[in-house]
C-alpha cells in the first residue's frame, strides 16, 4: 500500500491532490516542512535533506515509499536526530498527505496514526545507521574530516580532569553555524567541507575541531588575548571559501560565537547534546 492510500484509509479522509513534476514535489515538501516545524522539529536548518526530496518524489509517483523512507531514517540518524523526532517528522508527512484537496490549514501529526509499514521502514533505516555508528566508533567524519561529537566529549572529559588538577578552567568553545536551509543536496556537504577547511587553516595548533551536526562545528580552544582576532579571521576566511561556489554561498555568512564551558563535565555534555540538536 502506498503512502497516499494508507493516509486516506487511516485518516478516513481523501488524500491531497497531487500536482505533477517539480511543482507538486515543492508543494508537498513545503507543507511537510511547515507541519514538522510546527510539531517541534528542533533545528529548521537541519531538516532539508536530499532524502526528503526522494520521499516526496516517491509519494507523488503513488509508489510505496518504503525504500525512500528507509534512507530518510538513516539520513536523520546520520544528522543526529533522535528516533522520536524522526518519527514525529514522518507523522507530519502522513498528516499532510492525508489532508483534503487544496487544504492549507494546520495539521496535527500523530505518530500512532502512521501506518506500520511506514514506521517500520523509517525506524529500520534509523536503527541500522545507529548500530553501524556504535560498532565503528569512528573519531572523525569521513566527508569533512572533522572530529565527531563523541571525540569532542572525550576531549572535554580530559579538559575537566586537567582543571581539577590545576584549579582553573582555561578552555572555551568556538561555535560556527551555517544556514543549510538555503541550499540542497550535495551543496550542503560541500558547504560544510569548505567550512572545515577554513577551521583547520585558522586553528592549526592542535585544537580539537568537531562537527556537532549537519550545520554546526565546534572548536575547543584555550583562552588567550588573540582569540577575538582569530575569530574575526575565521569569519573572513569562511566568507571567502563559501563565495567560490554560487551553490553554497547562500549558506553564509557563518554565524560564529564563543561559548563558555559550564562548571562540570556533565553540564558540558548536556550543552553539546543541546547544540547538536
Amino acid at each position: 500500500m502506498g503512502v497516499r492510500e494508507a493516509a486516506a484509509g487511516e485518516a478516513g479522509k481523501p488524500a491531497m491532490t497531487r500536482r505533477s513534476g517539480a511543482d507538486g514535489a515543492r508543494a508537498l515538501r513545503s507543507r511537510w516542512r511547515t507541519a514538522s516545524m510546527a510539531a517541534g522539529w528542533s533545528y529548521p536548518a537541519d531538516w532539508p535533506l536530499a532524502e526528503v526530496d526522494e520521499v516526496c518524489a516517491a509519494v507523488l509517483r503513488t509508489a510505496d515509499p518504503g525504500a525512500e523512507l528507509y534512507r530518510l531514517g538513516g539520513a536523520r540518524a546520520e544528522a543526529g536526530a533522535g528516533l522520536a523526532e524522526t518519527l514525529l517528522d514522518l507523522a507530519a508527512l502522513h498528516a499532510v498527505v492525508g489532508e483534503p484537496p487544496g487544504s492549507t490549514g494546520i495539521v496535527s501529526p500523530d505518530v500512532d496514526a502512521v501506518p506500520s509499514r511506514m514506521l517500520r521502514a523509517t525506524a529500520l533505516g534509523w536503527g541500522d545507521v545507529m548500530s553501524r555508528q556504535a560498532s565503528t566508533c569512528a573519531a572523525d567524519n569521513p566527508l569533512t574530516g572533522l572530529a565527531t561529537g563523541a571525540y569532542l566529549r572525550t576531549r572535554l572529559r580530559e579538559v575537566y580532569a586537567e582543571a581539577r588538577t590545576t584549579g582553573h578552567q582555561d578552555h572555551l568553545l568556538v561555535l560556527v553555524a551555517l544556514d543549510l536551509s538555503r541550499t540542497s543536496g550535495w551543496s550542503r556537504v560541500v558547504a560544510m567541507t569548505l567550512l572545515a577547511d577554513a577551521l583547520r587553516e585558522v586553528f592549526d595548533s592542535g585544537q580539537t575541531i568537531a562537527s556537532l551536526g549537519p550545520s554546526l562545528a565546534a572548536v575547543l580552544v584555550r583562552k588567550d588575548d588573540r582569540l577575538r582576532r582569530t575569530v574575526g579571521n575565521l569569519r573572513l576566511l569562511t566568507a571567502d571559501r563559501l563565495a567560490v561556489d554560487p551553490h553554497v554561498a547562500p549558506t553564509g555568512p557563518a554565524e560564529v560565537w564563543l561559548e563558555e564551558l559550564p562548571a562540570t563535565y556533565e553540564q558540558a555534555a548536556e550543552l553539546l547534546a543541546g547544540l547538536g540538536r
Side-chain angles (χ1 to χ4, degrees), residues 47-81:
W47 185 85
L49 295 171
E51 289 78 8
V52 166
D53 298 328
E54 292 175 4
V55 170
C56 290
V59 169
L60 292 174
R61 290 195 306 267
T62 69
D64 180 350
E68 289 79 8
L69 288 174
Y70 176 87
R71 289 194 291 273
L72 177 62
R76 293 296 189 211
E78 292 277 7

Side-chain angles (χ1 to χ4, degrees), residues 3 7 35 40-41 48 56 60 62 68 76 78 81-82 88 105 165 176 183 199-200 210 234 253 255 265 276:
V3 65
W41 183 265
C56 290
L60 292 174
T62 69
E68 289 79 8
R76 293 296 189 211
E78 292 277 7
L88 186 60
T165 301
V176 190
T183 188
L199 286 167
R200 284 191 291 267
L234 175 62
E255 182 182 2
Y265 167 77

Side-chain angles (χ1 to χ4, degrees), residues 184-200:
S184 61
W186 277 102
S187 294
R188 301 188 186 104
V189 177
V190 173
M192 287 302 293
T193 301
L194 292 173
L195 172 60
D197 288 342
L199 286 167
R200 284 191 291 267

Side-chain angles (χ1 to χ4, degrees), residues 63-271:
D64 180 350
E68 289 79 8
L69 288 174
Y70 176 87
R71 289 194 291 273
L72 177 62
R76 293 296 189 211
E78 292 277 7
L83 182 58
E85 188 173 28
T86 299
L87 295 183
L88 186 60
D89 178 55
L90 174 66
L93 169 65
H94 179 256
V96 166
V97 172
E99 280 293 284
S103 174
T104 58
I106 297 175
V107 299
S108 298
D110 180 4
V111 174
D112 292 334
V114 179
S116 59
R117 290 181 64 180
M118 296 172 66
L119 287 171
R120 184 167 55 251
T122 307
L124 282 174
W126 186 93
D128 284 350
V129 167
M130 294 303 293
S131 297
R132 186 168 64 250
Q133 288 180 345
S135 64
T136 58
C137 294
D140 55 24
N141 183 304
L143 293 175
T144 64
L146 298 180
T148 62
Y151 180 77
L152 178 58
R153 288 191 293 273
T154 298
R155 283 289 296 120
L156 281 172
R157 191 184 296 275
E158 295 168 348
V159 163
Y160 278 91
E162 178 185 345
R164 286 195 300 271
T165 301
T166 62
H168 65 276
Q169 172 63 268
D170 62 354
H171 285 78
L172 54 72
L173 294 172
V174 178
L175 296 169
V176 190
L178 300 179
D179 187 353
L180 299 188
S181 67
R182 299 176 183 174
T183 188
S184 61
W186 277 102
S187 294
R188 301 188 186 104
V189 177
V190 173
M192 287 302 293
T193 301
L194 292 173
L195 172 60
D197 288 342
L199 286 167
R200 284 191 291 267
E201 184 167 334
V202 173
F203 297 99
D204 60 352
S205 302
Q207 298 92 337
T208 298
I209 308 173
S211 171
L212 295 183
S215 61
L216 181 67
V219 189
L220 179 62
V221 300
R222 290 186 184 273
K223 302 174 185 177
D224 61 39
D225 296 336
R226 299 170 297 174
L227 186 55
R228 296 286 177 180
R229 179 180 297 178
T230 301
V231 168
N233 291 339
L234 175 62
R235 287 193 177 97
L236 293 173
L237 183 58
T238 301
D240 288 344
R241 292 291 170 85
L242 295 177
V244 302
D245 188 334
H247 297 291
V248 303
T251 64
E255 182 182 2
V256 185
W257 72 98
L258 303 179
E259 188 81 32
E260 294 286 345
L261 292 177
T264 68
Y265 167 77
E266 290 72 21
Q267 292 172 330
E270 291 180 4
L271 172 66

